[in-house]
Amino acid sequence: MSQVQKSPITPPEVEAIMDRLVAQRRESLEFHTAYQQETLQFLCVKEGEPERLAQLYSGHSYGRSAAMGMMAQSELDQWRCAFIVAITLYTRFAIEGGLDQEIAYSLSDAYLCVVHRMDDPRAVYELFHRAGVDFAARVRDSRLSQVPAVVACRDYISKHLHFKITVAELARHCGLSPNYLSTLFHRQTGMTLKEYILREKLRAARYMLLTTDITVAEAAVQFSFPSHSSFARDFQKHYGLPPTKYRAQPHSVAWDIID
C-alpha cells in the first residue's frame, strides 16, 4: 500500500488518528468497502429501485464491520455516525434522481430527529436500511407522478379516502376507460387500483388510531370499509397485528409520519 500523503492543513490530532487507523488496517488486512460496491446502494436510491436496495441489504448482518470504518468507540455512536453519513448521501442521490429538494431535505431532517432519540444500536442499524429503501421508493413515486392519469388518480384518492372509491369512478374522473386506466396504473406503480386505495385507507386509518381517541369501529366507518371485521382483517394483513393490538404497541408519531 502506498504511503499516506501528509497535508500541511490537517490538524495533528486528526493526522495521528489517521496514521493509527491505517496501520491497524494494514496489520489486520481488513479494509474499507470498495468504492464501487459502496456506491451501488446509493445508485439504487437515485434510480428509484427500493426492491433492489432491500435485496442488497438482505445480505448484511448486524455487528461492527471493519469495512464500514471506525468512527466512534461505542456501538451506538458508531451506528449513529454511519446513519448520518448514509442519510446525507441518500438525500443527495435522491435529489439527483428527481425527488423534490424540499421533500428530500425535510425527510432527512425527520430521520435525524428520530435517530438522535434512539438508544438501541440495533434499532439504528435497522433504521439505516429502512431509510434507504424509503428514499428509493419516494424517488420512484416522484417519477410516476409525471404520468398525468396516475397523478390524477392519486390526488383523487387522497382527497376521497372517507368515501367508497371505485375504479369506474376514477376512470370517469380521468376521462379514460376503466380497463385502460387499470392497466396503466398497474404498469406504472406495480399495484392495482384496488390495492392502492386499500393501502392509502389503511395508512390514514392507522395514523388516526395512533394520534386520536377514535375507536377501531369508528375508523372502519370513517374510511368506508364494508364492516368492522373487514377493516380489522385488512389491517392485520397489512401491519401484522389487529388494530387494537397494534395501537397498544409503543409508537413514535414522528416515525409514523415518516412511514
Side-chain angles (χ1 to χ4, degrees), residues 132-181:
V133 173
D134 187 3
F135 271 94
R138 288 172 185 269
V139 170
R140 180 180 63 186
D141 288 348
S142 72
R143 293 181 177 181
L144 296 176
S145 68
Q146 298 174 10
V147 180
V150 174
V151 174
C153 279
R154 290 167 59 142
D155 181 65
Y156 187 91
I157 292 168
S158 176
K159 293 176 179 177
H160 295 80
L161 290 177
H162 296 303
F163 302 92
K164 181 180 178 181
I165 307 170
T166 66
V167 175
E169 180 182 348
L170 288 168
R172 287 194 298 272
H173 177 71
C174 296
L176 300 172
S177 73
N179 286 340
Y180 180 76
L181 179 62

Side-chain angles (χ1 to χ4, degrees), residues 114 117 210 249-258:
V114 171
R117 294 202 301 268
L210 294 178
Q249 300 295 311
H251 292 280
S252 162
V253 174
W255 171 262
D256 286 285
I257 289 174
I258 291 172

